[in-house]
């Protein structure tokens, strides 16, 4: 085990771990990725430099050529014997991602000084990520090859922060492994991670992606997992399915739900999707072997659960009740965002999740002002009927008195405790009455550089529960912290 002073490293946060992993723990991988990303912007000299940049690493060159000549990539062409020739035949973007994948796998697989438990955590996570990457590419097989390669690498690196952390073998890995072994819920596990790292694994993944220049798709898929674009949706669903299949006894209702969502996205039947996934699992074994990562085979998620009978049952509606621990976790994350000057989408994602699970609402969303400031349009939606909310929540601001307009002009949070009361009904046009919660709702302005750019909305319409003054106070606290983060960014 690598020695470290855990007490001094505690609560260092995203920046500390990003720099430590990049500069001390995985400098070779970091350097390779940065070089490849830099070459991608220089088409003239990239091919010759690419060959030279990996020539000194015989093992890496061998892996790249094995993959380039595999069934997946060869396409019946004659065998390639140099990396630069492979780049000409397959295209630079494809060979770049093969290089990154090969270097990532070798860097992690060759990590030294890991305890048995930490090693098993890392290898299992790598196998899960590798299957997810192959599955994401399969889901978008009808799209162009460039996009397929882009989603493959983004999906593979979806858990980069966690994989890189475990690979360090430092004292914190033992501490966190011990803490996680005693956690019974996801919330407890998230708290344990934050206690040791001072950040979440998702934040660390974003930090590494930015530091290494890994592109916007990975950052977007981590910050906005509910985004409905095919590439982000595929990355999210593929990782969820891989995670479920990796479990010995997965939640079959959850697996059924994710399979249905994926099949609906592709416009096919669930049985056809299962067939594609079984073929993908076989291809994943072949590809892992080509990358020289046979050790992953025994850890690959099993497809056996795809053949089990799914009981058709209506899932119980999920109702979030106020949770002080979730609220505190959200506020801590937002504080860290302010210190690190995290980007807009990351802040909003954390704030909405805190409102949903901490304040305990049925649905919440961020509505951004249109360029002409005459309407509010949904940007991120969490909770009940998210798709429906995103399609219907278009607030017009030209119809006179409007509670949303007041929130914007006054720059104040508003608590509409009873929409039908004399106090509020004159500020509710027909459109607002139709789409907002009948039992009440809460609004808070989003302010950047002293200008309102949008509104956070939340209600308990699905369960019909009433919002209380304490709920509004907690909601306002989270919204205010989000605005503090925006103020830190523009300074």
């Amino acid at each position: 085990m690598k020695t470290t002073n855990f007490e001094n490293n505690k609560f260092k946060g995203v920046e500390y771990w990003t720099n430590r992993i990049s500069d001390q723990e995985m400098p070779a991988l970091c350097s390779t990725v940065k070089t490849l990303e830099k070459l991608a912007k220089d088409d003239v000299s990239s091919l010759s430099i690419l060959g030279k940049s990996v020539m000194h690493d015989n093992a890496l060159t061998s892996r790249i050529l094995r993959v380039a000549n595999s069934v997946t990539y060869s396409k019946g062409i004659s065998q390639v014997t140099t990396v630069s020739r492979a780049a000409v035949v397959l295209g630079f973007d494809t060979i770049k991602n093969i290089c990154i994948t090969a270097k990532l796998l070798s860097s992690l697989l060759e990590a030294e000084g890991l305890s048995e438990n930490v090693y098993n955590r890392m290898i299992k996570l790598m196998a899960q990520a590798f299957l997810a990457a192959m599955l994401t590419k399969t889901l978008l097989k009808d799209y162009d090859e460039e996009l397929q390669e882009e989603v493959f690498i983004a999906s593979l690196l979806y858990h980069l922060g966690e994989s890189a952390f475990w690979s360090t073998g430092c004292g914190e890995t033992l501490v966190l492994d011990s803490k996680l072994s005693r956690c019974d819920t996801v919330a407890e596990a998230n708290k344990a991670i934050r206690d040791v790292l001072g950040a979440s694994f998702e934040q660390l993944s974003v930090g590494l992606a930015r530091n290494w220049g890994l592109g916007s798709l990975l950052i977007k898929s981590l910050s906005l997992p509910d985004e409905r674009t095919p590439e982000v949706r595929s990355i999210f669903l593929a990782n969820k399915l891989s995670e479920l299949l990796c479990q010995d006894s997965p939640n079959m209702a959850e697996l059924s739900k994710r399979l249905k969502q994926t099949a609906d996205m592709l416009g096919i039947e669930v049985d056809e999707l299962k067939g594609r996934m079984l073929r993908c699992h076989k291809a994943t074994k072949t590809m892992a072997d080509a990358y020289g990562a046979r050790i992953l085979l025994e850890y690959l998620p099993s497809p056996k659960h795809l053949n089990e009978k799914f009981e058709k049952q209506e899932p119980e509606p999920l109702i979030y009740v106020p949770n002080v621990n979730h609220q505190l976790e959200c506020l801590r994350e937002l504080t860290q965002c302010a210190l690190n000057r995290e980007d807009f989408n990351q802040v909003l994602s954390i704030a909405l999740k805190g409102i949903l699970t901490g304040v305990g609402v049925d649905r919440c969303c961020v509505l951004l002002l249109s360029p002409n400031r005459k309407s509010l349009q949904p940007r991120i939606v969490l909770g009940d009927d998210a798709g429906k909310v995103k399609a219907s929540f278009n607030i017009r601001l030209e119809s006179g008195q409007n509670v949303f307009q007041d929130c914007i002009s006054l720059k104040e949070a508003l608590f509409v405790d009873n929409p039908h009361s004399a106090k509020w009904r004159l500020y509710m046009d027909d459109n607002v009455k139709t789409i907002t919660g009948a039992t009440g709702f809460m609004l808070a302005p989003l302010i950047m550089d002293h200008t309102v750019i949008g509104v956070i909305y939340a209600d308990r319409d699905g369960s019909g529960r009433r919002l209380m003054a304490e709920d509004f106070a907690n909601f306002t606290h989270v919204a205010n912290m989000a605005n503090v983060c925006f103020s830190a960014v523009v300074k």
Side-chain angles (χ1 to χ4, degrees):
M1 183 194 78
K2 299 177 185 178
T3 59
T4 185
N5 188 330
F6 171 65
E7 291 302 323
N8 289 338
N9 291 339
K10 200 173 182 180
F11 303 122
K12 293 292 185 181
V14 175
E15 185 176 0
Y16 167 79
W17 285 104
T18 297
N19 292 334
R20 175 171 172 174
I21 289 170
S22 302
D23 300 336
Q24 300 176 38
E25 308 292 352
M26 306 177 78
L29 176 60
C30 175
S31 175
T32 298
V33 171
K34 287 184 175 180
T35 299
L36 290 169
E37 293 296 343
K38 184 178 180 180
L39 291 177
K41 299 172 185 176
D42 183 5
D43 294 333
V44 177
S45 60
S46 60
L47 295 182
S48 60
I49 298 175
L50 172 65
K52 294 176 183 177
S53 67
V54 299
M55 190 182 300
H56 66 281
D57 191 333
N58 292 329
L60 177 60
T61 300
S62 177
R63 287 189 178 99
I64 292 170
L65 293 177
R66 277 205 309 270
V67 174
N69 289 308
S70 68
V71 175
T72 300
Y73 287 106
S74 67
K75 301 175 184 176
I77 60 177
S78 58
Q79 193 171 47
V80 294
T81 56
T82 66
V83 173
S84 55
R85 176 58 184 165
V88 172
V89 174
L90 300 178
F92 184 81
D93 286 335
T94 296
I95 214 69
K96 178 191 74 173
N97 286 339
I98 292 175
C99 286
I100 291 174
T101 303
K103 193 65 177 178
L104 173 71
L105 291 173
S106 62
S107 296
L108 294 177
L109 291 174
E110 294 166 11
E112 299 178 348
L114 308 187
S115 72
E116 184 178 355
N117 285 345
V118 169
Y119 179 78
N120 286 336
R121 282 187 185 275
M122 186 189 71
I123 295 294
K124 186 175 181 180
L125 187 64
M126 288 171 60
Q128 178 184 314
F130 196 67
L131 177 61
M134 292 290 289
L135 181 55
T136 307
K137 192 173 179 179
T138 297
L139 297 182
L140 295 180
K141 69 181 185 66
D142 294 329
Y143 288 75
D144 63 76
E145 292 183 1
E146 185 177 344
L147 180 61
Q148 290 181 40
E149 290 301 324
E150 191 177 3
V151 297
F152 175 91
I153 205 70
S155 194
L156 178 72
L157 301 176
Y158 199 70
H159 297 287
L160 175 62
E162 184 175 359
S163 298
F165 170 75
W166 292 125
S167 75
T168 65
C170 61
E172 288 92 336
T173 62
L174 295 182
V175 174
L176 183 55
D177 174 62
S178 177
K179 283 177 174 286
L180 291 178
S181 66
R182 300 192 296 272
C183 293
D184 297 320
T185 65
V186 173
E188 290 176 356
N190 288 338
K191 183 179 182 304
I193 293 166
R194 181 160 296 282
D195 285 346
V196 175
L197 277 76
S200 66
F201 282 138
E202 290 79 7
Q203 288 176 306
L204 180 53
S205 293
V206 172
L208 290 171
R210 286 203 184 109
N211 186 277
W212 296 2
L214 283 168
S216 60
L217 181 56
L218 175 58
I219 297 172
K220 187 177 181 181
S221 64
L222 289 164
S223 304
L224 298 171
D226 292 317
E227 185 74 26
R228 293 288 163 166
T229 57
E231 55 270 30
V232 172
R233 191 65 178 155
S234 295
I235 292 169
F236 172 78
L237 289 171
N239 273 277
K240 284 293 183 184
L241 287 169
S242 185
E243 180 184 344
L244 286 164
L245 293 175
C246 199
Q247 298 169 10
D248 294 330
S249 301
N251 183 322
M252 297 306 289
E254 173 75 2
L255 178 57
S256 177
K257 171 187 170 183
R258 296 305 182 187
L259 287 170
K260 181 68 166 57
Q261 288 176 334
T262 307
D264 289 346
M265 180 188 72
L266 298 176
I268 61 176
E269 296 296 324
V270 171
D271 285 343
E272 183 179 345
L273 171 63
K274 289 181 181 179
R276 291 187 187 183
M277 291 177 66
L278 290 171
R279 291 190 292 274
C280 176
H281 192 270
K282 292 180 180 178
T284 302
K285 288 184 174 181
T286 301
M287 192 56 64
D289 186 38
Y291 273 110
R294 289 186 60 84
I295 192 171
L296 295 184
L297 298 182
E298 61 184 285
Y299 291 89
L300 279 179
S302 172
K304 65 182 180 181
H305 299 297
L306 296 175
N307 298 319
E308 296 181 12
K309 295 287 185 181
F310 292 97
E311 295 183 10
K312 292 186 177 180
Q313 56 183 19
E314 290 296 322
E316 290 290 325
L318 182 60
I319 297 178
Y320 292 102
V321 297
N323 187 308
V324 174
N325 289 332
H326 287 184
Q327 289 176 39
L328 291 174
E329 182 180 347
C330 167
L331 294 172
R332 281 197 297 266
E333 289 191 29
L334 289 175
T335 300
Q336 196 68 43
C337 284
L339 294 173
N340 296 331
R341 298 187 177 184
E342 295 285 357
D343 68 17
F344 182 75
N345 291 328
Q346 180 79 354
V347 171
L348 290 184
S349 179
I350 292 171
L352 279 194
K353 191 178 296 184
I355 290 169
L356 181 70
T357 65
V359 178
V361 299
D362 293 341
R363 58 182 184 174
C364 55
C365 62
V366 168
L367 304 162
L368 295 184
L369 278 164
S370 60
N372 61 11
R373 301 182 70 85
K374 292 183 178 180
S375 67
L376 284 165
Q377 299 163 342
R379 173 68 176 273
I380 310 174
V381 183
L382 296 182
D384 292 347
D385 295 325
K388 183 179 178 182
V389 172
K390 204 157 191 178
S392 63
F393 257 64
N394 194 311
I395 309 294
R396 298 186 297 274
L397 302 174
E398 301 174 288
S399 55
Q401 292 179 312
N402 184 307
V403 68
F404 286 87
Q405 181 68 66
D406 280 358
C407 178
I408 294 169
S409 59
L410 296 173
K411 294 185 179 180
E412 292 181 2
L414 298 178
F415 179 24
V416 183
D417 55 344
N418 183 359
H420 308 290
S421 67
K423 177 181 178 180
W424 294 112
R425 61 185 177 82
L426 295 178
Y427 295 88
M428 309 270 291
D429 59 31
D430 290 339
N431 179 51
V432 172
K433 288 177 183 177
T434 300
I435 61 181
T436 55
T439 58
F441 55 91
M442 302 178 290
L443 302 174
L446 288 172
I447 302 173
M448 182 174 286
D449 200 17
H450 306 294
T451 301
V452 177
I453 59 172
V455 171
I456 299 180
Y457 171 92
D459 68 28
R460 289 176 177 160
D461 188 59
S463 61
R465 296 172 296 157
R466 289 280 180 186
L467 291 163
M468 309 301 289
E470 184 178 357
D471 300 317
F472 179 59
N474 294 330
F475 167 81
T476 305
H477 193 175
V478 173
N480 287 341
M481 274 302 301
N483 287 329
V484 169
C485 294
F486 300 146
S487 297
V489 169
V490 298
K491 283 183 179 179

